[in-house]
Amino acid sequence: MTVFAISGFTLHTLSILMRFIQGGHMPVANLHEAASLFAWSVVIVFFIIEIKYRVGLLGAFIMPMAFILMLSSSILPREINPLSPVLQNYWLWIHTLLAFTGDAAFAVACGIGVMYLIQEHFVKAKKLGGLFHRLPSLRVLDEVNYRLITIGFPLLTLAIISGAVWAEGVWGTFWRWDPKEVWSLITWFFYALIIHLRITAGWHGKRSAIMSVAGFVAVLFTFFGVSILLKSIHEFK
């Protein structure tokens, strides 16, 4: 799995670099490029977690997620569009890298959450077979899940702040209640609630895993749903 992931990641990196060279700008001008960069970010975070925590079978849960993102990217229009004047700003790099890295951390946390729920099912059902022994313990999964959320949350916070500062420079206001802004704020409140409940009410384990999965649904809607279903000034062209 790791050799396959490294090979795919290397080719993907070269593809992103090619679009960067051809377009002359960060490849996030359309939804195809954004989904591709999202998948790339997820694999980066996966590598970091794999190196640091050695979470068994993590790749089996994260790589399909990256594959689906790449598949989504592949069916979207691939034209290399010029950046709109609004996006021709150094804030594009700051805001985008913060947002994508934060979303990638939430994606991997979601995968860990699913692993936790499966492992807990095995424990409760007393099905202590091969997969049970290959998955990490519930304690490890819960710890890594929470760690990823505490990494993704400040990154999302900084992404929202940097976006607001960028908006003030472009449109003269920090906040326009645009659907992308609203759903980013909803996502922020959701992950803030996860952290708050863990600290104050001791919510961890299964509850934390379920909320981690639900939180990533909000991330996906903010990323894809708002872009496709709602009218937004953040709409990808």
Side-chain angles (χ1 to χ4, degrees), residues 46 76-77 110 114 126 139 146 151 172 185 188 194 205 208 226:
F46 159 71
L76 294 165
C110 172
V114 172
K126 297 182 179 178
R139 181 189 62 78
Y146 182 62
I151 291 171
L185 192 60
W188 185 89
I194 294 176
S208 183
V226 172

Side-chain angles (χ1 to χ4, degrees), residues 28-32 34-35 100 180 223 227 232 234-237:
V28 290
N30 56 43
L31 196 52
H32 161 75
F100 277 59
K180 182 76 79 174
F223 192 92
S227 300
S232 169
H234 293 81
E235 180 182 6
F236 291 107
K237 304 299 181 184

